[in-house]
C-alpha cells in the first residue's frame, strides 16, 4: 500500500472519476431542473422552504405528467446549497450544467446575478427569485425570468398606500447594504417619488446584524411618516422593527417577504402591532392557497411559512410553458414564457414589465396586503397589478 | 446629532457592551488559563439559547429555571469538548483553534438541519420600555445589562477570594509554579470550562430574548469576543470588562454617526492600532 | 517519493483536459489551483511560526487591482496579473512591518483585523471599489476566443501554470539559505538572532512574498469568476486556507498542496448531500485534527517510517 507514482495517478484518477461519473444523465422523458438555493448559513430559512415547496409542486406536476408530442415528461429537481456565496453559486451552476441540466431555479440575487451570463450562453433557462434590475432582467438575457416580484412590488404598493394611508407623506427607507438591498432602495425611492411621496431618509445596515439601534436611531431622528423596510428579510426586519419601536418611533412601518408569524414572534407582539405587510398572505383566500397551507402543516407541522406561497407558482409556470411550447428545448420554452399569462396562486398572473425592463420576463400578479392586529396577521386588501406597468 | 440622540447612543452602547463582555469573559478565562482559543464558545451561546427557547415554550418552564438547566447542559457540552477535542491535542493553540472551527461548523450545520429555518425568539421576561428624559431603554435590555454586570462582579469575587479562584489565577500567571505549589491543573481546567459555559449560557439566553434565536447567532459574538479580549488583554478580567464596554460604545457611536458599514471598519482599525501600539492589550500579560 | 513521480504527475495534469472535457471538473480544478496557490503562500509564512489571517485581504487587493485595470482601464490581463501581485506585495511591506512588531499569538489577530479592514474599505467606497455590490463583468484574459465563457480549458492551463510557478518559486525559497533562516526562526527567534540572522527582516520578506502570491491568486480569481465582492474574501476564507495548510501538514510544501486538493475536492464530493455539506466539512476537520495532528503528510510520514522500519518521530506539540 505504499503510495508511489502509480497510486498517485490512481488517486487523481479516482477523484476525477468521481467528479465526472456517477451523475444522472438526462433521461429521455425526464426534464432536469437544478436548484441553487442557500441551505446553510444566513438565508437557509428561505432556501429550505423553497426546496420543500418546489419539490412538492414537482410531485403534483409529475402525477399528471407533461404531454409533449406523444411523450409523457416528468420533472426532476436537484437542489444544491450555494451558501449564499457567489463563488459557490457559480460552482453549483457549473455542476448543474455539466449534469445536463437546462433549467435553473435560483434564489437570492447574490447567487442569481453572477451566473446569468453563463446560463444564457449555455442556453439554460433561469428562473430567479431575487431582487434585480437590468443585470438580471433585460433583452440581453432572453432566458432569464424573475418569478418573484421583489423591488417591483413597490409599483403596486405605493399607489395603494396613497388611498389606504393618506396621511403618509414622508418616507424613510432601511435596507441591507448589499446587492439586493441597493436595488431595493434605488427602486423604492424612485417609485415612491413617482407616486408623490418625499424620501427623507435612506439607511443601510449590514445584513445579519444583531444590533439595529444605531441605524434605527438615525431613522427615528429623521422622523418619517412611514418607514419602508423593503429589502429586509427574516430576522433583520423583525429586529429592525423592534428597534424602531423601542426607540419611540410612532409612525407606520411597512415590510414584506416575511413569514408573518415568525416576524411577530421575534419582534414581539407590541413592536409588531400595526405593521403593514406587503405581499403577505395572512389567511388563505382561495382553495389553492388553502391546499398549500394544509399540505405544509400536515408534512412539516406549524407554522406555515408564507414564503412558500411565493415559490409555489414557479414549477407550474414552467410545466405550463412546456405544454404550450410542445418542446423540451429551453429556447423554445422561453419564447413561449415571455409575456405568458396564467392562473396563479394569487390570481391572474403574467410575465410582464416590458415598459420597465425592455422584455416581458418579470412576474406580475396581485399583491396581498396584510397588517398586524392583536399579535396576528390580518388580511387587508388584494392589490391588483397596475395596468400601466 | 443632538444631546438626546447622543445619550441614547451611549446608553444603547453600554448595554450591548455588557452583553458582549459577558461572552468575552468566557473566552478570556479559557485563554488566560490554558492558552486555548475556544471557537466552540459561540456555539455554546447558540445552543443555550435554543435550549432556553424550547424549555420555555414546549416545556413551559419559567425563564430562570430554563436558564439554570441550560447552564448545566452547556457545561456538560463544554467539558465534553474539552475531553474530546482539546485535551487530546494537548491544548496546542493552533490545533485547538482549527478543531474548534471544525466543531463549530458541524454544530451550526446540524442545528440548521434539526431546528429548521424559521427565525424564533425567546419571549421577553420584562416587556416594556423605559423612557428617561427622551432616552429609551427597553426593560429587557436593562435586565440583561444588570445580569451581565452582576455576573462579572461575581466572577471577580470568585477569582479573588475563593480557593478555586486563586488556584485559577495562579495557573494563569505561571503554570509551572502553580503545579509546584500543588495546584491540580485538571480541576482548574474543568472549572474554567464550566464557568465559561455558564457565562455563555446566560449570554445566549439574553441574546435570545433581545435578538432572536437562530443557528448563526454565535458567529458575531465570538468574533467580537476575540476583538474585546485582544484589546483588553488576554487573560485580564478587568481588561475584558473595559474593552467590552469600549467596543459596545464605539459600535454604537460609529454606527449611529457614520452608518453601520463604517463602524465595521472602525472596530478593526482600532484593534489593529492597539495591537501595534500596545500588543498585549490594555491590561494583558506579556505573551 | 520516486524520482519520476513528480514529473509524471505534472505531465498527467497537463494532459488531463485532453481526456476529460467535463466543464464542472475543469472548474473544480481551477478552484483547486487558486486554493493551492493561497495555501502554499500561507505555508511560506507559516514555517516561520507566523499564522496570518489576512491572506484573503491580500487576495482581495490583487483581485481588485486586476478588476480595475482590466475592466476600467482595458489593460491586458497579462500585465494586470504581475502588477496585482506586485501591489499586494507593496501593501504588505508597511502592513508587515507594523504587524510584525506584535509577537506570536497576537500576530494572527492583527492580520485578522487587517483582512477585515481591507474588506471594509472596499465595501464602503462604492466608487471605484464597487461597495458591497462588488465588481461585475470583469473581462477574461485575451485572447478572448480561448478564454470564453463555456470553455474552461484555457483557464485550467492558466491556473496550472500559476500553481507550478508559485510552487517552484516558493520551493526554491524554502530550500535556499533564506529558507534555512525561516526554519530556524521557527525554532526560536532568540537563537536565530544570536547567530546573526536578521530575524525581523526575514520575517518581513516572507510576509511580502506570501502576500505577493496571494495577490496573484486573487488576480486569477477575478478574471476567472468575472465577479468579485467583499462577500468572497472574508475571514472565513482566510480560515479555510489556514485549514488547508494545517490539515495538510507543515513539514514540507507537499502539505499545503495536499491539504488544498483534498479539502477542496472532498466538499465537492459531498455537494450532493445538500444541506449536510457544511456539516460534513466540519466533521472531517475535527476528525483529521484528532487523528492526524501533524497533518496528512505527517501521518503519511509516520506510516512510511513504520513500514520502512525507521524510528517514528514522537507526535509532539506542533
Amino acid at each position: 500500500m505504499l503510495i508511489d507514482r502509480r497510486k498517485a495517478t490512481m488517486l487523481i484518477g479516482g477523484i476525477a472519476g468521481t467528479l465526472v461519473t456517477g451523475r444522472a444523465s438526462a433521461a429521455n422523458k425526464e426534464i432536469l431542473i437544478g436548484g441553487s438555493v442557500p441551505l446553510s448559513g444566513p438565508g437557509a430559512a428561505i432556501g429550505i422552504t423553497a426546496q420543500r415547496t418546489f419539490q412538492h409542486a414537482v410531485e403534483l406536476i409529475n402525477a399528471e405528467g407533461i404531454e409533449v408530442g406523444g411523450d409523457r415528461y416528468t420533472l426532476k429537481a436537484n437542489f444544491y446549497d450555494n451558501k449564499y456565496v457567489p463563488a459557490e453559486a457559480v460552482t453549483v451552476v457549473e455542476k448543474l450544467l455539466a449534469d445536463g441540466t437546462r433549467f435553473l431555479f435560483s434564489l437570492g440575487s447574490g447567487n442569481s446575478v453572477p451566473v446569468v451570463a453563463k446560463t444564457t450562453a449555455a442556453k439554460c433557462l433561469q428562473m430567479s427569485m431575487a431582487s434585480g434590475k437590468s443585470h438580471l432582467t433585460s433583452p440581453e438575457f432572453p432566458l432569464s425570468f424573475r418569478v418573484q416580484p421583489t423591488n417591483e412590488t413597490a409599483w403596486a404598493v405605493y399607489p395603494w398606500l396613497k388611498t389606504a394611508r393618506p396621511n403618509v407623506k414622508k418616507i424613510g427607507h432601511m435596507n441591507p447594504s448589499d446587492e439586493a438591498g441597493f436595488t431595493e432602495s434605488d427602486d423604492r425611492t424612485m417609485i415612491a417619488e413617482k407616486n408623490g411621496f418625499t424620501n427623507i431618509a435612506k439607511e443601510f445596515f449590514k445584513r445579519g446584524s444583531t444590533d439595529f439601534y444605531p441605524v434605527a436611531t438615525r431613522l427615528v431622528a429623521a422622523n418619517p411618516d412611514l418607514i419602508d423596510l423593503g429589502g429586509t428579510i427574516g430576522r433583520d426586519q423583525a429586529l429592525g422593527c423592534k428597534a424602531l419601536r423601542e426607540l419611540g418611533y410612532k409612525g407606520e412601518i411597512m415590510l414584506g417577504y416575511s413569514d408573518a408569524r415568525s416576524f411577530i414572534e421575534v419582534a414581539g407582539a407590541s413592536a409588531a402591532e400595526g405593521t403593514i405587510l406587503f405581499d403577505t398572505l395572512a389567511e388563505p383566500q382561495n382553495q389553492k392557497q388553502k391546499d398549500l397551507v394544509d399540505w405544509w402543516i400536515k408534512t412539516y407541522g406549524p407554522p406555515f411559512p408564507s414564503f412558500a406561497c411565493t415559490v409555489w407558482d414557479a414549477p407550474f409556470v414552467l410545466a405550463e410553458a412546456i405544454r404550450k411550447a410542445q418542446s423540451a428545448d429551453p429556447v423554445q420554452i422561453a419564447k413561449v414564457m415571455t409575456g405568458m399569462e396564467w392562473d396563479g396562486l394569487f390570481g391572474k398572473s403574467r410575465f410582464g414589465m416590458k415598459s420597465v425592463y425592455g422584455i416581458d420576463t418579470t412576474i406580475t400578479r396581485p399583491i396581498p396586503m396584510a397588517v398586524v392586529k392583536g399579535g396576528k396577521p390580518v388580511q387587508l386588501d388584494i392589490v391588483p397589478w397596475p395596468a400601466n406597468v | 446629532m443632538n444631546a438626546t440622540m447622543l445619550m441614547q447612543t451611549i446608553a444603547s452602547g453600554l448595554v450591548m457592551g455588557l452583553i458582549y463582555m459577558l461572552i468575552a469573559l468566557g473566552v478570556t478565562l479559557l485563554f488566560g488559563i490554558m492558552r486555548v482559543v475556544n471557537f466552540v464558545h459561540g456555539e455554546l451561546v447558540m445552543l443555550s439559547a435554543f435550549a432556553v427557547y424550547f424549555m420555555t415554550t414546549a416545556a413551559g418552564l419559567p425563564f430562570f429555571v430554563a436558564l439554570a438547566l441550560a447552564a448545566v447542559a452547556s457545561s456538560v457540552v463544554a467539558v465534553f469538548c474539552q475531553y474530546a477535542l482539546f485535551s487530546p491535542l494537548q491544548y496546542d493553540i493552533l490545533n485547538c483553534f482549527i478543531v474548534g472551527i471544525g466543531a463549530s461548523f458541524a454544530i451550526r450545520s446540524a442545528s440548521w438541519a434539526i431546528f429548521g429555518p424559521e427565525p424564533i425568539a425567546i419571549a421577553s421576561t420584562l416587556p416594556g420600555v423605559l423612557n428617561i428624559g427622551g432616552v429609551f431603554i427597553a426593560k429587557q435590555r436593562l435586565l440583561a445589562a444588570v445580569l451581565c454586570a452582576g455576573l462579572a462582579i461575581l466572577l471577580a469575587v470568585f477569582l479573588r477570594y475563593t480557593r478555586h479562584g486563586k488556584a485559577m489565577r495562579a495557573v494563569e500567571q505561571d503554570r509551572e509554579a502553580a503545579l509546584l505549589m500543588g495546584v491540580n491543573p485538571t480541576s482548574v481546567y474543568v472549572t474554567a470550562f464550566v464557568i465559561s459555559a455558564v457565562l455563555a449560557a446566560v449570554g445566549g439566553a439574553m441574546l435570545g430574548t433581545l435578538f432572536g434565536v437562530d443557528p448563526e447567532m454565535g458567529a458575531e459574538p465570538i468574533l467580537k469576543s476575540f476583538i474585546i479580549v485582544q484589546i483588553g488583554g488576554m487573560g485580564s478580567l478587568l481588561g475584558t470588562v473595559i474593552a467590552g464596554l469600549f467596543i459596545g460604545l464605539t459600535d454604537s457611536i460609529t454606527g449611529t454617526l457614520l452608518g453601520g458599514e463604517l463602524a465595521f471598519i472602525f472596530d478593526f482599525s482600532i484593534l489593529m492600532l492597539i495591537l501595534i501600539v500596545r500588543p498585549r492589550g490594555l491590561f494583558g500579560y506579556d505573551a | 517519493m520516486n524520482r519520476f513521480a513528480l514529473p509524471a504527475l505534472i505531465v498527467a495534469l497537463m494532459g488531463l483536459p485532453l481526456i476529460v472535457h467535463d466543464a464542472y471538473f475543469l472548474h473544480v480544478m481551477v478552484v483547486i489551483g487558486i486554493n493551492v496557490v493561497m495555501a502554499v503562500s500561507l505555508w511560506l509564512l507559516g514555517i516561520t511560526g507566523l499564522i496570518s489571517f489576512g491572506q484573503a485581504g491580500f487576495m482581495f487587493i490583487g483581485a481588485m487591482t486586476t478588476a480595475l485595470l482590466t475592466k476600467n482601464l482595458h489593460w491586458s490581463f497579462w500585465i494586470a496579473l504581475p502588477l496585482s501581485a506586485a501591489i499586494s506585495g507593496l501593501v504588505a511591506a508597511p502592513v508587515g512591518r507594523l504587524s510584525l512588531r506584535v509577537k506570536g499569538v497576537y500576530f494572527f489577530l492583527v492580520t485578522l483585523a487587517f483582512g477585515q479592514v481591507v474588506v471594509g474599505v472596499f465595501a464602503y467606497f462604492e466608487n471605484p471599489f464597487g461597495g458591497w455590490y462588488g465588481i461585475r463583468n470583469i473581462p477574461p484574459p485575451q485572447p478572448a476566443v480561448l478564454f470564453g465563457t463555456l470553455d474552461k480549458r484555457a483557464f485550467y492551463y492558466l491556473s496550472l501554470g500559476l500553481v507550478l510557478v508559485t510552487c517552484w518559486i516558493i520551493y526554491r525559497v524554502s530550500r535556499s539559505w533564506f529558507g534555512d533562516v525561516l526554519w530556524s526562526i521557527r525554532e526560536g527567534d532568540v537563537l536565530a538572532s544570536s547567530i546573526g540572522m536578521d530575524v525581523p527582516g526575514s520575517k518581513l520578506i516572507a510576509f511580502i512574498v506570501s502576500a505577493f502570491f496571494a495577490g496573484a491568486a486573487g488576480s486569477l480569481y477575478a478574471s476567472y469568476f468575472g465577479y468579485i465582492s467583499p462577500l468572497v474574501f472574508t475571514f472565513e476564507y482566510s480560515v479555510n486556507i489556514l485549514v488547508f495548510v494545517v490539515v495538510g501538514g507543515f513539514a514540507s510544501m507537499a502539505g499545503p498542496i495536499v491539504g488544498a486538493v483534498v479539502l477542496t475536492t472532498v466538499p465537492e464530493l459531498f455537494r450532493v448531500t445538500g444541506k449536510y455539506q457544511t456539516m460534513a466539512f466540519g466533521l472531517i476537520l475535527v476528525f483529521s485534527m484528532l487523528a492526524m495532528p501533524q497533518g496528512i503528510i505527517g501521518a503519511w510520514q509516520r506510516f512510511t517510517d513504520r513500514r520502512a522500519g525507521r524510528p517514528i518521530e514522537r507526535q509532539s506539540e506542533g
Side-chain angles (χ1 to χ4, degrees):
Chain A
M1 240 242 282
L2 253 185
I3 295 191
D4 58 14
R5 88 182 101 142
R6 213 178 30 199
K7 198 69 195 307
T9 327
M10 279 194 335
L11 191 63
I12 294 202
I15 295 179
T18 333
L19 289 174
V20 169
T21 62
R23 297 193 308 271
S25 48
N28 284 350
K29 309 287 166 36
E30 209 176 48
I31 295 181
L32 290 179
I33 307 177
S36 168
V37 302
L39 294 173
S40 66
I46 51 178
I48 295 177
T49 304
Q51 179 186 20
R52 289 175 175 171
T53 315
F54 201 94
Q55 297 283 30
H56 180 59
V58 165
E59 272 170 21
L60 294 182
I61 294 171
N62 287 344
E64 281 185 29
I66 308 172
E67 289 283 330
V68 175
D71 297 321
R72 186 173 173 276
Y73 281 83
T74 52
L75 302 175
K76 185 163 180 346
N78 292 317
F79 278 82
Y80 292 116
D81 184 6
N82 61 33
K83 309 186 183 85
Y84 219 98
V85 171
E88 294 281 329
V90 171
T91 309
V92 164
V93 169
E94 291 291 347
K95 179 155 175 50
L96 291 170
L97 289 175
D99 280 354
T101 314
R102 308 288 300 286
F103 299 90
L104 176 69
F105 171 74
S106 172
L107 184 54
S109 47
N111 308 309
S112 309
V113 174
V115 301
V116 71
K118 194 173 303 276
T119 52
T120 308
K123 302 263 184 295
C124 169
L125 195 151
Q126 177 171 340
M127 293 185 289
S128 313
M129 292 189 65
S131 298
K133 298 206 288 185
S134 53
H135 33 252
L136 202 51
T137 315
S138 108
E140 243 186 276
F141 307 121
L143 290 129
S144 167
F145 292 84
R146 303 252 317 282
V147 292
Q148 177 190 11
T150 48
N151 33 312
E152 287 80 12
T153 51
W155 288 104
V157 170
Y158 273 96
W160 169 86
L161 209 53
K162 278 199 294 221
T163 46
R165 297 279 185 277
N167 50 316
V168 167
K169 299 277 182 297
K170 300 179 289 179
I171 314 265
H173 296 266
M174 182 158 98
N175 282 291
S177 59
D178 60 15
E179 175 92 50
F182 288 133
T183 312
E184 292 270 353
S185 181
D186 289 341
D187 249 16
R188 283 173 186 279
T189 45
M190 182 253 301
I191 297 168
E193 230 178 78
K194 268 207 162 99
N195 280 283
F197 296 98
T198 327
N199 299 304
I200 60 167
K202 231 167 82 155
E203 297 295 333
F204 297 94
F205 62 89
K206 188 156 175 291
R207 194 187 280 270
S209 293
T210 327
D211 189 15
F212 280 80
Y213 269 44
V215 69
T217 310
R218 288 162 69 94
L219 268 175
V220 174
N223 199 17
D225 300 318
L226 177 141
I227 297 183
D228 185 355
L229 271 69
T232 61
I233 57 172
R235 207 174 78 130
D236 290 347
Q237 56 184 203
L239 294 179
C241 175
K242 187 172 179 194
L244 285 167
R245 292 295 182 212
E246 281 176 358
L247 288 171
Y249 177 65
K250 295 273 182 290
E252 301 272 9
I253 295 182
M254 179 168 79
L255 49 95
Y257 316 121
S258 77
D259 176 69
R261 271 167 259 285
S262 188
F263 163 72
I264 295 170
E265 182 177 289
V266 178
S270 58
E273 189 70 14
T275 312
I276 302 169
L277 309 171
F278 64 79
D279 204 18
T280 308
L281 206 60
E283 294 295 328
Q285 304 284 309
N286 59 36
Q287 189 58 41
K288 263 193 199 170
Q289 293 166 358
K290 204 165 173 317
D291 287 342
L292 179 59
V293 174
D294 288 342
W295 159 77
W296 182 283
I297 300 211
K298 205 171 58 143
T299 323
Y300 299 109
F304 170 73
S306 38
F307 185 73
C309 296
T310 335
V311 180
W312 187 245
D313 274 345
F316 288 104
V317 167
L318 183 60
E320 180 70 15
I322 297 174
R323 270 189 208 104
K324 277 209 168 111
Q326 279 297 297
S327 155
D329 175 20
V331 178
Q332 301 298 323
I333 297 171
K335 286 209 178 83
V336 167
M337 259 172 94
T338 311
M340 186 172 104
E341 287 183 13
W342 73 95
D343 216 351
L345 190 67
F346 293 100
K348 286 246 173 304
S349 314
R350 180 179 171 267
F351 278 117
M353 296 202 73
K354 188 164 180 182
S355 57
V356 178
Y357 296 123
I359 185 173
D360 278 333
T361 52
T362 311
I363 191 174
T364 63
R365 56 165 170 75
I367 308 288
M369 303 292 299
V371 74
V372 179
K373 257 205 186 71
K376 279 187 159 47
V378 167
Q379 204 71 42
L380 263 185
D381 256 329
I382 311 275
V383 181
W385 192 264
N388 56 335
V389 175
Chain B
M1 170 174 315
N2 56 29
T4 318
M5 205 163 144
L6 184 64
M7 294 297 299
Q8 178 74 63
T9 309
I10 293 180
S12 312
L14 285 175
V15 171
M16 284 310 295
L18 282 169
I19 299 178
Y20 286 130
M21 169 209 77
L22 192 72
I23 298 177
L25 281 175
V27 174
T28 207
L29 206 60
L30 289 176
F31 187 81
I33 292 178
M34 55 196 97
R35 295 282 180 276
V36 162
V37 180
N38 183 6
F39 219 81
V40 187
H41 195 71
E43 310 318 319
L44 286 177
V45 170
M46 181 264 290
L47 289 174
S48 308
F50 270 106
V52 172
Y53 175 76
F54 284 116
M55 284 194 273
T56 50
T57 50
L61 293 172
F63 179 79
F64 285 100
V65 173
L67 180 53
L69 288 175
V72 170
S74 175
S75 309
V76 168
V77 173
V79 174
F80 173 75
C81 284
Q82 176 189 0
Y83 281 106
L85 303 176
F86 300 126
S87 179
L89 292 174
Q90 283 129 0
Y91 300 105
D92 171 72
I93 184 170
L94 185 61
N95 290 344
C96 285
F97 187 74
I98 306 275
V99 86
I101 289 180
S104 109
F105 278 0
I107 295 176
R108 256 185 245 182
S109 278
S111 302
W112 277 115
I114 300 175
F115 297 125
E118 289 309 322
I120 51 178
I122 305 174
S124 278
T125 41
L126 219 57
V129 182
L130 283 177
N131 184 345
I132 306 177
V135 174
F136 294 89
I137 306 184
K139 288 188 192 162
Q140 184 70 23
R141 288 201 174 207
L142 202 55
L143 173 65
V146 167
L147 210 57
C148 293
L151 279 173
I153 295 176
L154 261 173
L155 183 64
V157 164
F158 170 81
L159 285 176
R160 192 163 255 280
Y161 296 115
T162 67
R163 263 194 60 199
H164 260 37
K166 290 189 198 176
M168 285 173 80
R169 279 168 53 220
V171 170
E172 180 178 26
Q173 285 173 8
D174 192 330
R175 188 164 184 264
E176 270 84 32
L179 287 178
L180 286 173
M181 291 281 144
V183 168
N184 179 354
T186 315
S187 82
V188 166
Y189 284 9
V190 170
T191 317
F193 267 100
V194 168
I195 293 181
S196 77
V198 170
L199 294 176
V202 175
M206 288 295 110
L207 288 176
T209 57
L210 293 176
F211 302 117
V213 180
D214 74 271
E216 290 293 317
M217 70 185 281
E220 194 184 347
I222 192 82
L223 217 47
K224 283 235 155 64
S225 296
F226 286 153
I227 300 177
I228 291 172
V229 168
Q230 193 48 43
I231 294 180
M234 297 268 195
S236 161
L237 199 65
L238 183 60
T240 305
V241 170
I242 295 188
L245 292 172
F246 174 69
I247 284 290
L249 269 173
T250 322
D251 270 358
S252 187
I253 295 180
T254 52
T256 315
L257 267 181
L258 304 170
E261 306 153 0
L262 267 188
F264 185 60
I265 309 178
F266 219 79
D267 262 0
F268 281 102
S269 303
I270 291 187
L271 176 65
M272 270 188 88
L273 220 64
I274 291 191
L275 282 173
I276 290 165
V277 164
R278 197 184 161 86
R280 60 175 195 254
L282 296 174
F283 295 95
Y285 304 105
D286 245 325
Chain C
M1 225 170 40
N2 191 304
R3 264 197 52 181
F4 292 108
L6 187 58
L9 191 60
I10 296 180
V11 169
L13 284 172
M14 291 181 77
L16 213 45
L18 302 174
I19 318 171
V20 183
H21 294 293
D22 187 286
Y24 165 65
F25 174 74
L26 292 176
H27 166 82
V28 174
M29 294 303 282
V30 173
V31 173
I32 290 180
I34 294 175
N35 286 344
V36 168
V37 172
M38 291 299 292
V40 169
S41 65
L42 180 65
W43 174 77
L44 181 69
L45 195 58
I47 59 181
T48 62
L50 293 172
I51 302 299
S52 165
F53 279 101
Q55 293 303 92
F58 289 115
M59 188 181 177
F60 200 178
I61 293 177
M64 182 61 70
T65 310
T66 297
L68 294 176
L69 288 179
T70 55
K71 184 175 179 196
N72 297 354
L73 296 181
H74 305 293
W75 286 19
S76 160
F77 168 77
W78 305 103
I79 303 182
L81 173 60
L83 256 175
S84 305
I87 290 188
S88 288
L90 257 156
V91 173
V95 173
R97 178 162 293 248
L98 291 174
S99 310
L100 286 165
R101 292 175 45 149
V102 176
K103 279 204 300 255
V105 100
Y106 302 126
F107 176 78
F108 91 78
L109 266 159
V110 184
T111 57
L112 194 163
F114 168 71
Q116 299 287 53
V117 170
V118 171
V119 166
V121 167
F122 284 150
Y124 184 70
F125 293 102
E126 215 179 303
N127 212 347
F129 298 128
W132 285 106
Y133 259 140
I135 299 187
R136 204 175 293 113
N137 293 332
I138 303 171
Q142 299 294 350
V145 66
L146 274 184
F147 290 95
T149 328
L150 294 181
D151 186 352
K152 301 258 172 288
R153 281 175 298 176
F155 273 113
Y156 171 84
Y157 284 117
L158 175 59
S159 168
L160 183 61
L162 186 62
V163 167
L164 290 175
V165 168
T166 308
C167 288
W168 185 72
I169 293 180
I170 291 190
Y171 182 71
R172 303 291 303 180
V173 167
S174 75
R175 291 296 234 188
S176 72
W177 64 268
F178 180 69
D180 290 339
V181 172
L182 297 180
W183 282 107
S184 55
I185 292 178
R186 186 159 190 253
E187 296 307 316
D189 276 24
V190 177
L191 201 55
S193 346
S194 73
I195 53 177
M197 292 180 171
D198 176 10
V199 171
S202 309
K203 283 186 181 177
L204 183 59
I205 295 182
F207 191 80
I208 295 177
V209 172
S210 140
F212 179 86
F213 285 108
S219 173
L220 176 58
Y221 183 100
S223 53
Y224 176 64
F225 281 94
Y227 173 69
I228 60 172
S229 89
L231 295 174
V232 175
F233 304 97
T234 54
F235 164 66
E236 280 83 18
Y237 188 73
S238 287
V239 169
N240 269 348
I241 308 291
L242 176 62
V243 168
F244 296 155
V245 180
V246 172
V247 170
F250 265 106
S252 80
M253 198 175 77
I257 298 177
V258 169
V261 172
V262 170
L263 287 178
T264 311
T265 316
V266 169
E268 282 308 318
L269 296 177
F270 277 94
R271 194 174 282 281
V272 290
T273 59
K275 58 186 171 177
Y276 298 107
Q277 185 186 5
T278 320
M279 173 155 52
F281 185 74
L283 288 174
I284 286 170
L285 214 54
V286 171
F287 166 75
S288 60
M289 284 317 302
L290 292 177
M292 303 182 293
Q294 299 289 63
I296 295 178
I297 58 172
W300 176 7
Q301 190 64 42
R302 283 160 56 81
F303 179 75
T304 53
D305 282 352
R306 191 173 286 160
R307 235 194 103 108
R310 287 196 285 271
I312 307 170
E313 224 181 274
R314 252 203 98 227
Q315 271 204 21
S316 53
E317 261 188 42

